[in-house]
Amino acid sequence: MKSTLRFAVPLIIFGVIAAFLFKGLNMNPREIPSPLIGKSVPEFSLPLLEQPETQITDQDLLGKPYLLNVWATWCVSCRAEHETLVQLANTGKVDIYGLNWKDESIKAKAWLRQLGNPYVANIFDEKGRTAIDLGVYGAPETFVVDSKGVIHYKHAGPLTPQLVAEKLLPLVEKLKQEG
Amino acid sequence: MTLRGFCCSIVLLMGVIVPISAATLAEYKFEDPEKDRDFRAIIEEMRCLVCQNESLAGSNADLAVDLRNEIYDMMQSGQTKDDVIGFMVDRYGDFVLYNPPMRPSTYPLWFGPLILFVIGAALLYRAIRRKKQSQETNLSEDEQHRLASLLNEKSNTKDVSK
């Protein structure tokens, strides 16, 4: 009994370490938990991409749940997820607002003409100051926000149809029911 | 290339490289030397979120430059080191700090090694004590006498041979 225990203990320790290391292999170091979950979208007042003379604020977005998608033309993954966004917008299930991050307005408008425009409106954050308030560290990032402006979920990295179907839409539905 | 040429090019290269790396942070000037110290300490302690193994001070990523500027502006407008750290943690979480704060979720990090050390020390202590005890108790009185006499014999012969 005692001798089996003596062999078992290092084996168990090894098992625990191996399990942690194995889990670490499959973890994404870019997925940083956002401290903004459960908090309101930060205040901002920024021009619209398409109508730079008009300002849009965080208050204008309230009323129903929406997605806030951070994108830029210099961001390769944004191009990869764009098709998914267009498809999602076509279903009409949720409003998508774009935060055009540290971009050039001419390029951004050309991109939307060329690839389609899934956004209800595009907030033009040329300096990236609002993106800092949102804790953005890389595009694309997508926030799920409820009708009162509280952030419920954040995804860093390109959206996939699978993620939209399994995570975003169920969450949006839930938020719609909660009002 | 001759040795002299080589040395010359090294010196020339250094002339180019050193000012560049110095220039990136020299642009941040403070009148108050204490603020200057604080500023440099903060950006050394903060992780750049784009290149995760670089500090804000060492990174040339776009976001790192923006955040350095933001922190500089905050400190110039009179905010303290704690204000700046709060600002960053509110947005990017504890992840930006190279030095994790003490709170329930980080207790394992802070106290784990200490607990492991205590457990290890306790096990070691127990093992040593048990060994000692087993040495003391395993021999009967007769055997101990024999052992003592044998040891004496040995040390005696040693003494003789000296």
Side-chain angles (χ1 to χ4, degrees):
Chain A
M1 175 58 211
K2 215 181 131 198
S3 63
T4 46
L5 197 74
R6 188 167 283 175
F7 285 112
V9 167
L11 198 65
I12 291 168
I13 293 173
F14 170 76
V16 170
I17 293 174
F20 271 103
L21 291 178
F22 186 75
K23 186 156 192 301
L25 271 184
N26 298 306
M27 276 165 73
N28 181 2
R30 299 237 150 241
E31 265 171 34
I32 303 163
S34 173
L36 278 106
I37 306 290
K39 297 205 183 123
S40 292
V41 170
E43 284 177 28
F44 64 85
S45 178
L46 287 169
L48 287 169
L49 175 67
E50 289 92 346
Q51 294 130 347
E53 63 285 351
T54 313
Q55 295 273 314
I56 183 168
T57 72
D58 50 299
Q59 299 294 318
D60 296 329
L61 310 186
L62 302 181
K64 51 181 177 174
Y66 63 92
L67 302 187
L68 182 63
N69 177 249
V70 182
W71 68 282
T73 56
W74 46 261
C75 148
V76 182
S77 312
C78 298
R79 188 172 271 265
E81 75 164 5
H82 199 78
E83 185 58 34
T84 309
L85 285 173
V86 171
Q87 278 169 12
L88 175 61
N90 286 341
T91 66
K93 283 179 180 159
V94 61
D95 286 350
I96 309 172
Y97 287 93
L99 184 83
N100 188 231
W101 182 37
K102 287 176 77 84
D103 209 347
E104 290 164 45
S105 113
I106 294 173
K107 281 190 190 167
K109 281 188 273 191
W111 156 299
L112 293 176
R113 269 198 306 277
Q114 198 187 338
L115 300 173
N117 185 352
Y119 304 108
V120 179
N122 263 295
I123 305 152
F124 187 51
D125 188 13
E126 190 176 13
K127 295 236 164 64
R129 186 57 187 73
T130 298
I132 288 181
D133 282 342
L134 274 165
V136 170
Y137 55 88
E141 284 187 15
T142 307
F143 296 84
V144 181
V145 186
D146 72 11
S147 57
K148 296 184 192 73
V150 177
I151 298 169
H152 283 256
Y153 180 73
K154 166 180 160 173
H155 176 72
L159 292 179
T160 59
Q162 192 193 4
L163 189 82
V164 169
E166 287 173 7
K167 195 105 202 184
L168 297 195
L169 282 179
L171 181 57
V172 167
E173 281 310 313
K174 195 176 141 237
L175 295 177
K176 271 186 190 165
Q177 274 156 25
E178 286 169 3
Chain B
M1 200 192 285
T2 63
L3 186 64
R4 214 175 123 202
F6 179 72
C7 290
C8 277
S9 51
I10 290 286
V11 168
L12 279 175
L13 251 179
M14 284 172 75
V16 176
I17 292 167
V18 171
I20 288 177
S21 60
T24 52
L25 291 180
E27 68 209 57
Y28 301 104
K29 288 194 183 76
F30 291 89
E31 287 184 1
D32 180 354
E34 196 177 326
K35 271 196 171 171
D36 190 83
R37 239 190 344 266
D38 277 354
F39 174 74
R40 272 152 231 288
I42 289 173
I43 60 175
E44 279 294 341
E45 277 169 27
M46 297 240 171
R47 187 201 298 266
C48 166
L49 291 115
V50 183
C51 337
Q52 298 185 348
N53 279 336
E54 288 183 337
S55 69
L56 274 188
S59 177
N60 278 323
D62 232 21
L63 182 64
V65 176
D66 284 358
L67 287 173
R68 279 205 297 265
N69 290 336
E70 186 68 33
I71 292 172
Y72 177 72
D73 290 345
M74 283 179 77
M75 296 201 68
Q76 281 293 32
S77 69
Q79 304 204 50
T80 64
K81 192 176 170 181
D82 288 343
D83 292 336
V84 174
I85 290 173
F87 171 89
M88 291 293 287
V89 170
D90 281 349
R91 282 156 184 76
Y92 297 102
D94 291 341
F95 189 81
V96 289
L97 305 173
Y98 269 126
N99 203 359
M102 184 107 62
R103 62 179 62 165
S105 66
T106 58
Y107 283 171
L109 195 66
W110 282 98
F111 300 116
L114 190 70
I115 291 168
L116 285 178
F117 175 77
V118 170
I119 292 173
L123 286 176
L124 189 67
Y125 178 72
R126 222 182 61 172
I128 290 173
R129 248 181 69 134
R130 193 180 281 168
K131 208 166 186 187
K132 232 181 190 171
Q133 268 176 359
S134 68
Q135 272 177 354
E136 282 165 5
T137 52
N138 264 358
L139 297 178
S140 68
E141 216 164 295
D142 273 354
E143 283 171 326
Q144 273 176 7
H145 274 295
R146 239 185 89 207
L147 178 66
S149 64
L150 280 170
L151 283 172
N152 277 338
E153 224 171 74
K154 211 166 188 193
S155 57
N156 283 344
T157 50
K158 256 192 188 161
D159 283 347
V160 171
S161 68
K162 248 182 198 173

